[in-house]
Amino acid sequence: MARRGFRVLIAIILVVLLCKACLVRDIPTSVSQNNPTNEQTLATNYPVPQNVTIGQTDYLQSQAPVGVFGGELVSSTIGEGPKTFNPFNTKDNVSSQMANTMYDGLLSTNPVDGKPMPKLAKSFKISPDEMTYTIELRKGVKWSDGKPITADDVVFTWKDIIFAGMGDTSTRDSLVIDGKLPTVRKIDNYTVEFKTPKPYAPFLMMLSTPIAPKHFFAPAVKKGNSFFDSFLSTNTPPKNFVTSGAFKLKEYIPAQRVVFERNPNYYEINKNNQKLPYLDKIVYLIVADLNNEVLKFEAKELDVISLQGSKVARYKTLEPHSDFKLYNLGPTTGTMYLSMNLNNRKDQNGKFYVEPIKQKWFQDLNFRRAVDFAIDRKNMVLNIANGIGEPLFTPESLNSIFLNKNLKSYDKNLEKSKELLAKSGFYEEKGKLFDKNGNRVEFNLYTNAGNTEREAIGVMVKQDLEDLGMKVNFKPIEFNTLVNKLVSTYDWDMVIMGLTGSPLEPNGGKNVWLSDGRLHMFNMRNPQEGKRGILPWEEELDEMFTKGALETKFEARKKYYDRYQEIVYEQKPFVYIYSPTIIVAIRDKFKNIYPSSLGGVTHNIEEIYIGK
């Protein structure tokens, strides 16, 4: 009878898993499998905008069906809202999203194949030696205050803000090539030339960086970094902004909402030559957590939402009788991970950032691997993502064209964990784990409060590690406080976090993986230290990222990025957890929706309209 009951239980579990697999397949998907070339084939029919010249103005013309003007789209953001509206000083995703709503770059990314396409630039050319980039700007386009957008704005942005190290220096740091930066010069009012010291594969995609209006930003730049860091803060009156994007700031109420209104000077038009965008407003409601976000969507206060796996089954059931449609965008382009603090440095008062006893644990590869084998990824996918996702073992996302598919997955293995711990002298006594010196293994585990998915992961990681006898103090804390610990004060033990990424370009992670990177959080060091104190495998990561960026052919680049993934897989500075499948719900009243794994469902926000 017991065996029969067991077989019934297994059958039920298999049915549940198969139903979840069917559920995901039933949701329209925008992405197909990656091909082996440097392209991504997407199952979408997005009509890419084309250049048209009318009179003296070079417009970008939408090829999507002509829509109706008016109305608003209400979205949301989790947490406390933006920290700044300055596109050159954003250090978090929300602030970047808000700033980039208002400021366009020279190029953008085609949501169909991921290739660069013109935005503020009308066209671009690359020289045969792949070191000179000539950008032709659109003539006649204007900033939101009516002043023309010219080559002076481009040169000022790159030379006086980015290359000068104003605000957040991530873009500049990613462009250092053999210790040198690219150069930029004005050829005429609507032509700009960039030169790189060597062929540099990521450079073209980095030209999507926002362009600043020189007449508006120059006074702030002249006042120096300290003033620039507070320029365009969240206290800045909306009427003071000068922007180039489809929408400009109308209202910001802290902890409540951010409202953007259409920019009447935007340079994209429809096929009737009417200026876009169609929508009057975009509203971002600031919500405390993911559960609150769901409640607001169900109360019809939100128009679009990205669903946690646990919500998908219910929404799929509701969809035929509802006013929304679900889209499967494929695996997330970001990664979720657990990291341990390997830093053995002292602060200015001579105090270790991490307690010396814990330092020895975290720097022990056997300890890190034991933690890795103790984590039950499949159980997390089943219980947190509701089966809608896949275990993750690499720093590249599952839809990355650079994913190293030779790195094998594995299941939770407590016996392997215990074997590894024993090799380094750890022992268990009455269910408690001690190191070889008799110290009880106890540490703090952090994540950002309000992110219910990460909080749930934290609870399960705590349980998994306590199966080894470790004492884990799980502490969700406010996001900014957590970021400060990771990249400023360095006083943390373990953390569960996530990083955004591009499935098309690993070099975006350069600041994480280079030993002197500003987000090299597992072993942060001061730039003045040089190479002192870095580990041999960190030096090899430096080499892989440097060489990978200097190659221009996909096959040659992939060898280096394969090796970087191998190093991370072997050394475990990050222990990767799982990759959720992105399921998005959006009200079906919105038209010109072309879902894309690269851009989501609102990548073409200027073309989206409310149908009758």
Side-chain angles (χ1 to χ4, degrees), residues 156 214-224 227:
F156 166 78
K214 179 178 179 179
H215 63 283
F216 180 53
F217 271 73
V221 168
K222 286 180 181 177
K223 293 180 181 178
F227 181 86

Side-chain angles (χ1 to χ4, degrees), residues 142-148 265:
K142 300 175 181 178
W143 296 103
S144 58
D145 64 356
K147 289 187 167 52
N265 282 335

